Amino acid sequence: ELMELVPYQRMGEPLDIAMLRADHLVVHAERRADGKASWQFGEPEPDADKERRGLPDVGELTLRRGELTYVDALVQADLQATVQIEEGPASADAAGAPGGLRATAQARYDGKPLRATLEAAGAMPLLAGGEDAQLTPVRLQLEAGGATLHFDGRVADVLRLHRLQGAVEVEGRSLGGVGSLFGITLPTTGPFALKGRIAKTGGAYNFVADDARVADSRLHGALTFDTTTEVPLLAGGVGGARLVLGDLAPSVG
């Protein structure tokens, strides 16, 4: 409703934006079952190997209130979110605390309800792509698949989720319900609660469970999930003070 844009460009280099401010911004994005998306314009790039263009640098970014709806027929996603962004030199308060990104979302993903809240040091650092993208502090709370997830860590290149590392806590009715949300094969179990650390680089996830409770079992372990192989592979080791075979019988089978 009220937007102020101050761009500048250095000769022969990509467009940079010195300052972008908006009081109210509404965005609707959609991808159809045939793969065509509302954010695609014109014909596809003729050179499939052409390097992806990076986002412009934004010196100061402020969004008082953003409203986003996203519908994706390919993954059966229907999302509504509100976003507030304040980053750059003008976002620091009198005490010098930095501003950042705050977002809440309600959605259905793969036919299942999902709720999330996100806090990050900024939007532009999260969206920056490439191997040199810097890790950005992020806090995420997610409720989905009969489980809740808390993540407190750092993420780089969020569109590809190329790298992440941090502490994670998950609890819910079954590990299988959590895995289905992320395309990860996990066993059907009884109620569980996990505390540990997760890291991802490229297509490989590493998870260390410092404290895992599955029904009556008390466990710890380390797991690796590699999506780069022809058939994604979940491997690792699990131990603990108490193992009730019935709690993990599906995974043993």
Side-chain angles (χ1 to χ4, degrees), residues 111-134:
K112 304 177 182 67
L114 178 151
R115 291 187 178 185
T117 59
L118 173 69
E119 297 180 357
M124 298 307 298
L126 276 179
L127 294 172
E131 299 297 327
D132 297 330
Q134 299 298 308

Side-chain angles (χ1 to χ4, degrees), residues 10-247:
R10 297 185 295 271
M11 290 299 295
E13 296 185 15
L15 176 70
D16 288 342
I17 299 173
M19 181 264 291
L20 175 59
R21 295 177 181 171
D23 282 346
H24 190 192
L25 185 62
V26 179
V27 177
H28 176 74
E30 183 174 357
R31 185 168 64 167
R32 303 185 317 201
D34 61 6
K36 293 183 179 180
S38 59
W39 57 86
Q40 296 171 335
F41 300 95
E43 296 297 325
E45 292 285 352
D47 185 357
D49 296 327
K50 188 173 182 179
E51 183 178 354
R52 183 181 66 173
R53 293 189 180 96
L55 293 171
D57 289 330
V58 179
E60 180 182 329
L61 175 62
T62 301
L63 174 60
R64 302 299 182 191
R65 178 178 176 82
E67 299 178 19
L68 168 68
T69 60
Y70 175 61
V71 178
D72 192 323
L74 289 179
V75 295
Q76 301 181 51
D78 187 347
L79 177 145
Q80 300 83 41
T82 59
V83 183
Q84 183 179 1
I85 304 172
E86 191 169 1
E87 58 184 275
S91 66
D93 60 19
L101 165 67
R102 290 175 291 278
T104 61
Q106 295 186 1
R108 295 192 70 83
Y109 178 75
D110 195 22
K112 304 177 182 67
L114 178 151
R115 291 187 178 185
T117 59
L118 173 69
E119 297 180 357
M124 298 307 298
L126 276 179
L127 294 172
E131 299 297 327
D132 297 330
Q134 299 298 308
L135 288 164
T136 302
V138 169
R139 289 182 181 175
L140 171 67
Q141 179 173 323
L142 178 67
E143 299 177 19
T148 59
L149 178 148
H150 300 266
F151 173 79
D152 190 349
R154 299 159 70 86
V155 177
D157 195 352
V158 71
L159 294 180
R160 294 189 302 160
L161 198 59
H162 183 62
R163 284 191 299 154
L164 70 84
Q165 60 186 44
V168 63
E169 297 183 15
V170 190
E171 61 181 72
R173 297 191 298 265
S174 171
L175 284 171
V178 177
S180 65
L181 287 170
F182 302 99
I184 301 174
T185 302
L186 294 178
T188 300
T189 66
F192 71 94
L194 306 175
K195 292 184 179 180
R197 293 155 284 144
I198 189 170
K200 178 181 185 287
T201 301
Y205 295 82
N206 292 283
F207 178 67
V208 176
D210 299 312
D211 181 19
R213 303 185 178 195
V214 181
D216 294 322
S217 299
R218 301 294 180 265
L219 307 167
H220 57 78
L223 300 173
T224 298
F225 181 65
D226 189 352
T227 64
T228 62
T229 58
E230 183 176 354
V231 177
L233 177 65
L234 176 67
V238 177
R242 176 179 172 83
L243 171 62
V244 178
L245 186 59
D247 295 339

